[in-house]
């Protein structure tokens, strides 16, 4: 593999030889028992009862201490579109202020020209 990696005429063969050589020379990976996931015995799956095995969480909170949200307008309705706010970042440097001014002036001029 070393000879193929260094001296083969076809570049693709050299690349593959280098990759295989890298894999062969890699140190052995040592994994302990905690590196694997155990799969439980499922031979008695027909006798399993989910209601006894797990306590199901309630979808409704037990306490009513959470904030109530007002129902807004339907999505994509005119009222919903009016409520949407687009926040543009404020220009911070002098160059950005000049560029924004030029962009606004160009857009305004193009409206009046056409």
């Amino acid at each position: 593999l070393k000879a193929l990696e260094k001296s083969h005429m076809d570049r693709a063969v050299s690349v593959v030889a280098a990759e295989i050589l890298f894999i062969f020379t890699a140190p052995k990976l040592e994994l302990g028992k905690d590196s694997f996931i155990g799969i439980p015995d499922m031979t008695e799956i027909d006798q399993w009862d989910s209601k006894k095995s797990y306590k199901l969480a309630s979808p409704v909170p037990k306490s009513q201490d959470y904030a109530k949200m007002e129902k807004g307008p339907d999505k994509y309705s005119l009222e919903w579109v009016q409520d949407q706010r687009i926040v543009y970042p404020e220009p911070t440097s002098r160059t950005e202020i000049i560029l924004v001014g030029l962009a606004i002036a160009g857009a305004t001029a193009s409206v009046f020209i056409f």
Side-chain angles (χ1 to χ4, degrees):
L1 287 173
K2 286 185 180 182
L4 287 175
E5 177 187 9
K6 294 184 180 189
S7 63
H8 199 277
M9 298 183 316
D10 189 358
R11 175 78 177 131
V13 173
S14 299
V15 169
V16 171
E19 291 172 352
I20 293 173
L21 187 63
F22 177 78
I23 292 170
F24 281 150
T25 58
K28 183 179 178 187
L29 182 62
E30 296 180 17
L31 298 173
K33 290 273 188 190
D34 59 334
S35 300
F36 297 95
I37 297 175
I39 299 174
D41 182 20
M42 305 204 51
T43 55
E44 300 175 2
I45 192 73
D46 295 331
Q47 299 169 357
W48 182 70
D49 185 11
S50 64
K51 292 180 184 170
K52 292 180 184 175
S53 300
Y54 294 101
K55 195 173 194 179
L56 298 175
S58 172
V60 178
K62 291 182 181 176
S63 68
Q64 300 297 324
D65 296 336
Y66 58 92
K68 299 281 185 189
M69 292 186 62
E70 295 179 16
K71 182 169 173 27
D74 292 335
K75 197 168 187 177
Y76 304 117
S77 66
L78 291 176
E79 294 81 15
W80 181 84
V81 172
Q82 287 175 339
D83 286 345
Q84 303 305 307
R85 290 180 180 83
I86 300 173
V87 179
Y88 295 103
E90 293 293 325
T92 55
S93 70
R94 183 180 173 125
T95 307
E96 288 180 354
I97 293 172
I98 292 171
L99 288 174
V100 168
L102 289 173
I104 292 172
T108 307
S110 66
V111 169
F112 290 116
I113 292 174
F114 296 109

